[in-house]
Amino acid sequence: MTGGGQGREGAPAADASARRGDGPAPLPATQRRILLRRRPRGLVEAADLELVEEPVVQPGPGEVLLRNLYLSLDPATRGWMVDGESYIEPIELGAVVRGATIAEVVVSGSELFAPGDVLVGLTGWEEYSLVDASLLRRRSRRIEREPGVPLSWELSALGGNGLTAWFGLFDVGRPEPGQTVLVSAASGGVGTVVGQLAKLHGCRVVGVTSGAERCAMLVDELGFDAAVDRTDTSEPLVDALRRACPAGVDVYFDNVGGEVLNAALQRINVGARVVLCGAISQINERTLPPGPSHYIRLLTKRARMEGFVTMDFAPRWPEVSAKLRALARDGQLRVVEHMVEGIEQVPEAFRTLFTGEKIGKLTVRLAPEPPALADGDT
Amino acid sequence: MTGGGQGREGAPAADASARRGDGPAPLPATQRRILLRRRPRGLVEAADLELVEEPVVQPGPGEVLLRNLYLSLDPATRGWMVDGESYIEPIELGAVVRGATIAEVVVSGSELFAPGDVLVGLTGWEEYSLVDASLLRRRSRRIEREPGVPLSWELSALGGNGLTAWFGLFDVGRPEPGQTVLVSAASGGVGTVVGQLAKLHGCRVVGVTSGAERCAMLVDELGFDAAVDRTDTSEPLVDALRRACPAGVDVYFDNVGGEVLNAALQRINVGARVVLCGAISQINERTLPPGPSHYIRLLTKRARMEGFVTMDFAPRWPEVSAKLRALARDGQLRVVEHMVEGIEQVPEAFRTLFTGEKIGKLTVRLAPEPPALADGDT
C-alpha cells in the first residue's frame, strides 16, 4: 500500500487525514503554538514567548495542513527573534516562532502534496502548520523513509546540523588529511558531526567543550583524538590547546566566539582557516563584547577567518544530505541527539542551548512518528 | 662605458671603489650605523637605538661592500625589533637595525657583483653594509636604471609598498570592477598605491586618513572617489563610512586595525574581503587592545578576513615590480614620497610613521645617487 492520495485531486476533504497503516488519525479541534511576544534582550525569557491554544484550521485550496512531528531547536533562532541585521528576515512580533521541523501532511488542498507525505522543512514552533503549498514546495523536501534511519536524524546529522558541519568544514575550512581540526561546542549538534567528518577525512581532531563528561564522550564514543574542557581553570585555555594540538591548528571551526576563539587564534598555523559558524557565547549579550584581540595572528600567520551561512549552499543540500545519510546508516557517523517531549517544554529547552546543559542535537518530539513502510512496500 | 668590473676577479682591491662616470668616490674611514640597544616597549624611544660611528671595513673574499643610498622606513620594522612571534626572526640586540635599502656596490670581493651595480634589497640602517655575496644575491636584485624613474621609487611604489599593495589588493582582496574598495592609512606608502591601483581596475575607491589636507590630496591629486577623515569628530566614523560608501564595502584593505577596522566591518557587503595588511594603531601597544567587536559581521555577511605577507609572493616580485614601474613611468601611478636627509634623522623619522605626520612613503636619503648611464650606454 502507498497510503494517502485522496487529497491530490481538488479541494480538501474532511476525511483526508488518512494515515498510512493504522488509518486516519483523529484531527484535534485545537493545537498549541508558541508566539513571539517580545524581542528578547539577553537570554530568552518566559515573557518573550507565549504558548497559546488555537483552533486547527482546515486548509483551503492550495494550502496544506501539516502535523509537526519533530521540532529542531537551534541557536540561530535567537538571532531571528531580534530585529538586527541578519541573513534572514526577523520573526514578526505576534507570529509563531520560525523553526525547522519534520512534518507529516495530514490534509492537502494541493496536488503537490498528499496525506502521509513526510517532509523536512521550515515551519514553526507549533503542533500543526497551515501552509501555502507552493511555499511549502520551496521550503521543504520529502523524506524517503528507510529502515535504520530515524526521521529525527533529518533535523540533526542529516539535516541542518549535518549540512552546516559539512559545508563549513569542507567548503570553508578545507582541511587536508593529517592536518589538525579544532572544533568548539564540540559536543553539540554541529560539533559532533564536524569532528566525526574530520576524522573520516583523516585529520587529527580536537574538541573544546565543557565538563569532563562531555570530554570523555568525544574521545571514547566519537573517536576525537583529544578534548579540552574549557571550564577547567587549572591552566589557561591557550595552554590546554597547546597540549592538545602539539602541531598547531590548521582549521578552527568556531561555534562559540569569545575567549575560545581568542585562544584558538593563538594556536593557528601558517595558512590556517578559521571557520565562523556561530558565536553562542555572545548571542544573548545586549551589547557586543570585545572582539578577539589576537585577530592579528591572521596577519602573521597568513590565515583566514571566514563566515558562512548554510542557506547559501541550498542547491547542494540533497547531494550532501544523501552522503550524510549513507554515513549514518552505515554507522560511520554517530548521530547524537537529546530528545525533549512536548511543545510545552520548548521555551525552557531552548534556553538550555545557551546554558550548555545538553549533549548532542536538541530536538523536541511533538507527535509520534507515523509507522514506516514495511519492507515489502518499498 | 659600463664602469666597474675591477672587483669581479679575485680579492678586493683598494682601488675597487671606482664609480661610473665620475671615477672613484672616496671611501670614508668611518660610517654611521644605528644599532638596536633595547627592545622597544611602546613607541620607539631614543634609548632603544644607538647611533654609532665605526670603521668602514673592506670586504674579504666572497664579501661585498655596499654604500646605502636610500633607506626605507616601514612600520613592520617595529615588529622585528621585539621578540614576539612573527613571520621573520627578530633583530638581535646590539645588531644594526634591519631595513630595505637601495645600495651601490663600492667594493666587491665576489664575481657575483661589480662596483657600480645598484641593488634593492634588505641591508640595514647604516651608511655602508658589508655583506656576504651569496646572501646578497638571495636578498637583493639589480635595478635596471631608466630615465624618468628615480631610484628611490624602488623602495616605494615599485618596491615593498607597491608589491604589498598589489598582492594584498589583487591576490587577497580580489576586487571586481565597479565594486567599492576602502583603504585605511590611505595617504601612506601602501595606501596611496592601493587606491590608485583599485581606481585603474575600475573600482569605486574610498580612503580613510587623518586631516582635511590628506583627504583633499587623495581626492584631488590621486583620484580617489571620496576620503573620510577619521579625526573628524562631528559624526561617528561608521556614519561617515556609510555616506562615503553608499553601496557598502566589498574590499577593505586594512593598514590600521582598531576602531577603523571595527567601523569598516559594519559596512561590509555579502562576500566582502577584509585584507589584513597591518595594524599600525596597535603596533606600539604594550598589551593587545580589544579586537574588532563586529568581527561577527563576517558570519552574517559570509565574508572573509585574511592576512598576508608580501614575502610569500617573492617569486612574483619581478613581474609585478615591472608592471608597477610601467604604470609609474607612464604617469598612471603617482609615486608619493616624503624624503628625509641623513641617517641621523632616522630615529625621529621612524617615530613619525606611527604619529601620522607624513604623507606618502617615508624614505631617507643617505648618499647622493650615482649618475645614471647616459642614453648611449644602455
Side-chain angles (χ1 to χ4, degrees):
Chain A
M1 58 166 284
T2 57
Q6 301 94 321
R8 285 187 194 274
E9 308 297 323
D15 66 346
S17 60
R19 304 187 65 189
R20 288 190 176 91
D22 299 333
L27 198 59
T30 62
Q31 65 142 325
R32 290 174 298 174
R33 320 175 72 198
I34 295 175
L35 310 182
L36 181 65
R37 280 299 176 203
R38 194 175 67 177
R39 303 210 176 276
R41 306 183 58 190
L43 203 59
V44 173
E45 295 172 10
D48 297 331
L49 304 172
E50 185 183 5
L51 181 69
V52 296
E53 184 151 357
E54 294 183 353
V56 173
V57 179
Q58 289 287 333
E63 292 181 336
V64 175
L65 183 66
L66 299 167
R67 176 185 290 124
N68 291 314
L69 308 172
Y70 293 103
L71 167 63
S72 174
L73 294 184
D74 302 286
T77 311
R78 170 62 175 69
W80 305 346
M81 289 179 177
V82 296
D83 199 4
E85 202 177 315
S86 188
Y87 55 92
I88 190 172
E89 287 297 298
I91 299 163
E92 284 178 34
L93 284 178
V96 69
V97 177
R98 194 189 294 143
T101 54
I102 307 286
E104 178 191 12
V105 175
V106 285
V107 189
S108 177
S110 163
E111 60 184 10
L112 296 171
F113 296 94
D117 287 351
V118 177
L119 311 172
V120 56
L122 205 59
T123 64
W125 292 10
E126 56 191 353
E127 293 176 308
Y128 289 81
S129 295
L130 183 70
V131 292
D132 180 82
S134 58
L135 192 68
L136 184 62
R137 187 167 60 169
R138 289 202 302 277
R139 288 202 173 174
S140 71
R141 70 178 165 78
R142 271 194 189 75
I143 300 175
E144 299 300 323
R145 302 185 69 180
E146 187 176 6
V149 181
L151 277 181
S152 63
W153 287 8
E154 294 283 346
L155 289 181
S156 56
L158 319 189
N161 283 185
L163 295 167
T164 295
W166 183 288
F167 294 116
L169 180 66
F170 292 125
D171 287 82
V172 186
R174 302 184 190 182
E176 290 168 22
Q179 291 191 326
T180 297
V181 173
L182 179 71
V183 56
S184 57
S187 60
V190 173
T192 50
V193 181
V194 168
Q196 292 182 86
L197 289 178
K199 277 306 292 179
L200 289 169
H201 193 61
C203 299
R204 175 178 169 83
V205 175
V206 179
V208 179
T209 184
S210 54
E213 183 198 358
R214 287 186 183 76
C215 285
M217 188 274 292
L218 293 179
V219 173
D220 300 339
E221 297 180 34
L222 301 187
F224 282 48
D225 295 287
V228 170
D229 179 1
R230 67 174 170 77
T231 65
D232 180 353
T233 55
S234 67
E235 68 179 336
L237 182 57
V238 70
D239 292 344
L241 291 181
R242 184 175 288 115
R243 285 193 300 102
C245 310
V249 173
D250 299 294
V251 173
Y252 171 49
F253 194 108
D254 185 35
N255 290 306
V256 303
E259 64 157 340
V260 181
L261 171 59
N262 211 25
L265 282 166
Q266 293 173 67
R267 296 303 304 145
I268 58 173
N269 289 332
V270 167
R273 285 78 66 200
V274 175
V275 182
L276 295 179
C277 178
I280 204 165
S281 75
Q282 67 182 56
I283 205 168
N284 292 301
E285 298 291 330
R286 297 185 187 196
T287 58
L288 277 180
S293 57
H294 284 282
Y295 86 95
I296 201 66
R297 292 283 175 130
L298 297 172
L299 196 167
T300 51
K301 296 297 184 185
R302 302 81 132 174
R304 161 193 303 182
M305 181 152 78
E306 186 168 0
F308 77 104
V309 172
T310 307
M311 220 174 269
D312 292 341
F313 295 90
R316 289 171 53 203
W317 287 358
E319 159 214 338
V320 169
S321 185
K323 288 179 181 166
L324 291 164
R325 172 187 283 249
L327 290 171
R329 186 190 53 216
D330 300 348
Q332 295 186 274
L333 175 66
R334 277 201 50 183
V335 182
V336 187
E337 293 179 321
H338 183 95
M339 194 66 70
V340 169
E341 305 283 338
I343 196 164
E344 69 280 6
Q345 301 296 329
V346 167
E348 182 50 33
F350 185 68
R351 290 167 64 95
T352 67
L353 280 176
F354 305 99
T355 53
E357 296 160 31
K358 300 289 184 282
I359 291 184
K361 171 70 183 108
L362 186 58
T363 303
V364 184
R365 195 194 321 268
L366 298 177
E369 286 193 20
L373 292 174
D375 281 351
D377 290 333
T378 57
Chain B
M1 59 167 285
T2 57
Q6 301 95 319
R8 284 186 195 272
E9 308 297 323
D15 66 347
S17 61
R19 304 186 63 187
R20 287 192 176 91
D22 298 334
L27 199 59
T30 61
Q31 65 141 325
R32 291 175 297 173
R33 319 173 73 198
I34 296 176
L35 310 182
L36 182 65
R37 281 298 176 204
R38 193 175 67 177
R39 302 208 178 278
R41 305 182 61 191
L43 203 59
V44 173
E45 294 172 9
D48 297 331
L49 303 173
E50 186 183 5
L51 180 70
V52 296
E53 185 153 356
E54 294 183 354
V56 173
V57 179
Q58 288 288 333
E63 292 180 336
V64 175
L65 183 66
L66 299 167
R67 176 185 290 124
N68 292 313
L69 307 173
Y70 293 102
L71 167 62
S72 174
L73 295 184
D74 301 286
T77 310
R78 171 64 175 68
W80 305 346
M81 289 180 178
V82 296
D83 199 5
E85 202 175 316
S86 188
Y87 54 93
I88 191 172
E89 287 298 299
I91 299 163
E92 284 178 33
L93 285 178
V96 69
V97 177
R98 194 188 294 144
T101 53
I102 307 286
E104 178 192 12
V105 175
V106 285
V107 189
S108 177
S110 162
E111 59 184 10
L112 295 172
F113 296 94
D117 286 351
V118 177
L119 312 172
V120 57
L122 205 59
T123 64
W125 293 9
E126 56 192 352
E127 293 176 308
Y128 289 82
S129 295
L130 184 69
V131 292
D132 181 82
S134 58
L135 192 68
L136 184 62
R137 187 167 59 170
R138 289 202 302 277
R139 288 201 173 174
S140 71
R141 69 176 165 78
R142 271 194 190 75
I143 300 175
E144 299 300 322
R145 302 185 68 180
E146 186 177 6
V149 182
L151 279 179
S152 63
W153 287 8
E154 293 284 345
L155 290 180
S156 56
L158 319 189
N161 283 184
L163 294 166
T164 296
W166 183 288
F167 294 116
L169 181 66
F170 293 125
D171 286 82
V172 186
R174 302 185 191 181
E176 289 168 22
Q179 291 191 326
T180 297
V181 173
L182 178 71
V183 56
S184 58
S187 60
V190 173
T192 50
V193 181
V194 168
Q196 292 182 85
L197 289 178
K199 276 305 292 180
L200 289 168
H201 193 61
C203 298
R204 175 178 169 82
V205 175
V206 178
V208 179
T209 185
S210 54
E213 183 197 359
R214 286 185 182 75
C215 285
M217 189 272 292
L218 294 178
V219 173
D220 299 340
E221 297 180 33
L222 300 186
F224 282 47
D225 294 288
V228 171
D229 179 1
R230 66 175 170 75
T231 65
D232 179 353
T233 56
S234 67
E235 68 179 335
L237 183 56
V238 68
D239 292 344
L241 291 181
R242 184 174 289 114
R243 284 193 300 103
C245 310
V249 173
D250 299 295
V251 173
Y252 171 49
F253 194 108
D254 184 35
N255 290 305
V256 303
E259 64 156 340
V260 181
L261 171 58
N262 211 25
L265 282 167
Q266 294 174 66
R267 297 301 304 143
I268 57 173
N269 289 331
V270 167
R273 286 79 67 201
V274 176
V275 182
L276 295 180
C277 179
I280 205 166
S281 74
Q282 68 182 55
I283 206 167
N284 292 301
E285 299 290 330
R286 297 184 186 198
T287 58
L288 277 180
S293 57
H294 284 281
Y295 86 95
I296 201 65
R297 293 284 175 130
L298 297 171
L299 196 166
T300 51
K301 297 298 183 183
R302 302 82 133 170
R304 159 192 304 180
M305 181 154 76
E306 185 167 2
F308 76 104
V309 172
T310 307
M311 221 173 267
D312 292 342
F313 296 90
R316 289 171 53 205
W317 288 359
E319 158 214 339
V320 169
S321 185
K323 287 180 181 168
L324 290 164
R325 172 187 283 251
L327 290 172
R329 186 190 51 215
D330 300 348
Q332 294 186 274
L333 175 66
R334 278 203 49 183
V335 183
V336 187
E337 293 179 320
H338 182 96
M339 193 67 69
V340 170
E341 305 283 339
I343 195 164
E344 68 280 7
Q345 300 298 327
V346 167
E348 183 50 34
F350 186 68
R351 291 168 63 94
T352 66
L353 280 176
F354 305 98
T355 52
E357 295 160 30
K358 300 289 184 283
I359 290 184
K361 171 71 182 105
L362 186 58
T363 303
V364 184
R365 194 194 322 267
L366 298 177
E369 287 193 21
L373 291 176
D375 282 351
D377 291 331
T378 57

